[in-house]
Amino acid sequence: MIGFQPYETFQLLIETGGVDRANTLLVAACDAFSRRRMPPQAEIAQFEALANRLFPTAAPSARTKAAATLGRAEHLTPALEQLVIDNIGDDIGDYLISARHLSDEALLGVVSKGDIETCAAAARRGDLSNPVLTKLFQMNSRKVYRALASNTAITPTGPFLNALARSAQMDHQVAWSLAARPDFDAALLAPAFFDLREADRVNVIQAFAERNTPEAPIKKTLEQLSVANHELTRALMKLFTQNRRAEVTRLLSQVTGLDEVRCGQIAHDVSGAALFVVLRAFGCTAYDGLKVLIHATSHDEDRSKTLSDFAKLFQSVDVDAMTFLMSAWRGDVNLLDLAKPEYRPASTRRQPQQAPATSDRELPARQDSVVTQAIDALERIGVRRAS
C-alpha cells in the first residue's frame, strides 16, 4: 500500500509534526485504506497499528472526518470498526445502519453501552446474528422494539415472536409495523386490535379463518346466551338505527362481560370489525349479523364491498375463533398459545385442497346474495335502509 512504507517514517512524522501533521496523515491514511479493495492481512495489520496511533493524536474534527471515511472501507477488523464507532460522532446511527458488514464483537459493544438511539439504529440492520438480537430484545425500549418490529430481515419465531407480540400490546407503532408484515401472524395482534387501522383489524379477524383455537373460558356462557341472539341483533339494529351508541355500550357490557370502556370502543367502531367479533361470538349468521353491521358502519362512502367482505368472514370464521378473540380482549386466555403447531393457520400445517372450478364461480354469487338478503330483510321489517 503506497504511503505506508516504511512504517517508521509515519511514526517519526507523528512524533515531530504535532497535531496539524497528525490530522493530515490520519485523513489521508484512512482515505487511502478505504479505497483498497483486497488489502493483504499484513497491510491491514500495519494500518490498524497506524490508525491506533493516529486517532488519539488528531483533533476531534479530523477524527470524525477520518472515521466517516474509514467506515466506507470493505475490509475492517473489529478493532478498526471500534475506532470508527468511537470517533464518528453524530453519524454513528447512519454508520450502524449502512455499513456493509459489522462484526458481532462491534455490535455487542454498541448494545452493551445501552444508548437507546444507537441501539435502535443497530436494530435496523439486516444481518443481525442471534446473540446480537438476544441482547437487543432484552432492552426495555420502545424505540428499539419499533426498529426490530419494522426490520423484515428478522424472522419472528420462538422467543423473538413472543417478545414482539407482547410489545405490540403496549405500543401501537409496534402493532402497526407488525400488522404490515406478511410473515407475522396477525392473530397475535388481537390485544392491540383497537389500536390498529381499519384494514388491519379485518386482517386480524381473517387470521382466525378456518383455524383451530384453544377453548375459551367464556365459551359456555356465550353458548347459553346465543339462544337469544335474534333478540340481541334486533336490539342492536334498533339502537344503531337511532344512533344511540351509549345504550349500545351498556348493552354490550351486560352481555359480553367486557369493561365499559372496551364496549364503548366496539359501539363507536364505524369499521364494524369489532362488532363483527361480538356478533359472530354469539353465533350470529351473515343474514342477521349484516343487518346490524349495515347500520353500525360508516355512511361516508359506499360500504357494499365492506359488507361483502364481512359476509365472507361470517362464512369462513368459526364461532369458537371469535369467542377466543373476545376472550383475548378480556385477558382470559394466553394468546401465544396460537403459536403452537396445532393452532397455527391451516395453510402452514398442510397444503389446502384445490376446490372445484365451479365453486370458484359460484362463491361470489352466494356471498353477494347474502348481502342482498340482509338488505331485503330490512325493507320487509320496515327499518330505514342505510344511505
Side-chain angles (χ1 to χ4, degrees):
M1 181 171 169
I2 298 174
F4 287 102
Q5 297 288 345
Y7 178 64
E8 291 77 8
T9 303
F10 279 93
Q11 291 280 49
L12 183 62
L13 290 171
I14 295 169
E15 293 170 359
T16 61
V19 175
D20 290 341
R21 181 68 59 83
N23 294 344
T24 303
L25 288 174
L26 176 60
V27 174
C30 290
D31 182 65
F33 186 80
S34 67
R35 297 174 186 273
R36 297 285 285 170
R37 291 294 176 262
M38 295 291 292
Q41 286 300 121
E43 189 174 293
I44 294 176
Q46 184 178 358
F47 174 78
E48 183 179 310
L50 177 64
N52 281 323
R53 179 68 177 85
L54 282 170
F55 267 103
T57 308
S61 59
R63 293 200 298 265
T64 301
K65 182 178 180 180
T69 302
L70 183 59
R72 299 196 297 266
E74 296 182 7
H75 304 280
L76 294 180
T77 63
L80 290 174
E81 290 173 344
Q82 193 61 50
L83 280 175
V84 175
I85 292 171
D86 291 341
N87 294 280
I88 201 169
D90 293 339
D91 294 332
I92 178 68
D94 292 336
Y95 172 69
L96 291 175
I97 295 170
S98 61
R100 296 183 181 180
H101 176 267
L102 281 176
S103 65
D104 281 1
E105 182 181 341
L107 288 170
L108 288 172
V110 168
V111 177
S112 66
K113 292 181 179 178
D115 180 77
I116 299 302
E117 297 292 342
T118 305
C119 292
R124 294 174 57 187
R125 290 190 60 82
D127 59 352
L128 297 174
S129 65
N130 280 346
V132 177
L133 282 173
T134 299
K135 290 294 184 182
L136 287 170
F137 273 105
Q138 290 174 353
M139 297 191 68
N140 184 20
S141 166
R142 288 176 180 265
K143 287 188 176 181
V144 172
Y145 267 85
R146 288 171 182 176
L148 293 168
S150 61
N151 189 343
T152 55
I154 300 173
T155 303
T157 57
F160 299 154
L161 173 67
N162 296 350
L164 288 172
R166 290 191 178 97
S167 180
Q169 301 178 28
M170 299 177 285
D171 189 339
H172 66 279
Q173 289 193 25
V174 172
W176 291 351
S177 295
L178 295 176
R181 296 183 57 161
D183 62 342
F184 189 84
D185 185 0
L188 298 178
L189 297 175
F193 187 91
F194 295 92
D195 293 328
L196 298 176
R197 300 177 178 89
E198 180 175 335
D200 293 333
R201 295 183 183 187
V202 176
N203 288 339
V204 171
I205 297 172
Q206 183 63 52
F208 285 90
E210 300 177 0
R211 177 177 188 165
N212 294 328
T213 54
E215 185 167 317
I218 199 177
K219 178 180 178 180
K220 293 183 179 179
T221 302
L222 291 185
E223 286 177 345
Q224 295 172 357
L225 294 174
S226 63
V227 296
N229 62 22
H230 182 66
E231 289 75 10
L232 173 64
T233 55
R234 287 181 64 89
L236 289 173
M237 186 171 55
K238 179 179 179 180
L239 292 174
F240 278 120
T241 301
Q242 300 173 0
N243 199 27
R244 294 155 61 185
R245 295 183 185 260
E247 295 181 45
V248 172
T249 299
R250 288 194 291 272
L251 175 60
L252 292 177
S253 181
Q254 292 173 358
V255 299
T256 65
L258 294 167
D259 63 79
E260 193 163 335
V261 173
R262 183 69 76 207
C263 291
Q265 290 176 301
I266 299 171
H268 291 84
D269 176 24
V270 294
S271 73
L275 185 60
F276 168 87
V277 174
V278 175
L279 293 171
R280 191 62 178 140
F282 274 91
C284 291
T285 62
Y287 182 77
D288 291 324
L290 287 175
K291 290 189 291 185
V292 179
L293 289 174
I294 285 172
H295 290 284
T297 55
S298 172
H299 300 167
D300 295 339
E301 57 184 13
D302 182 14
R303 307 294 291 181
S304 57
K305 182 183 182 305
T306 302
L307 294 172
S308 178
D309 291 341
F310 279 125
K312 299 173 187 177
L313 290 174
F314 272 110
Q315 295 176 4
S316 62
V317 177
D318 190 69
V319 173
D320 288 347
M322 292 299 93
T323 301
F324 183 84
L325 175 52
M326 196 164 74
S327 295
W329 294 347
R330 290 163 50 99
D332 294 340
V333 295
N334 180 9
L335 202 69
L336 295 177
D337 287 342
L338 293 177
K340 296 179 179 179
E342 62 268 33
Y343 300 127
R344 290 175 185 164
S347 59
T348 64
R349 297 196 304 267
R350 61 180 183 277
Q351 291 294 329
Q353 296 181 353
Q354 187 174 0
T358 54
S359 64
D360 289 338
R361 293 193 298 267
E362 293 171 358
L363 185 58
R366 291 199 195 106
Q367 291 162 348
D368 291 341
S369 66
V370 171
V371 180
T372 304
Q373 290 173 13
I375 294 174
D376 290 343
L378 288 177
E379 296 175 345
R380 288 198 300 272
I381 63 178
V383 177
R384 178 178 59 83
R385 179 175 175 176
S387 58

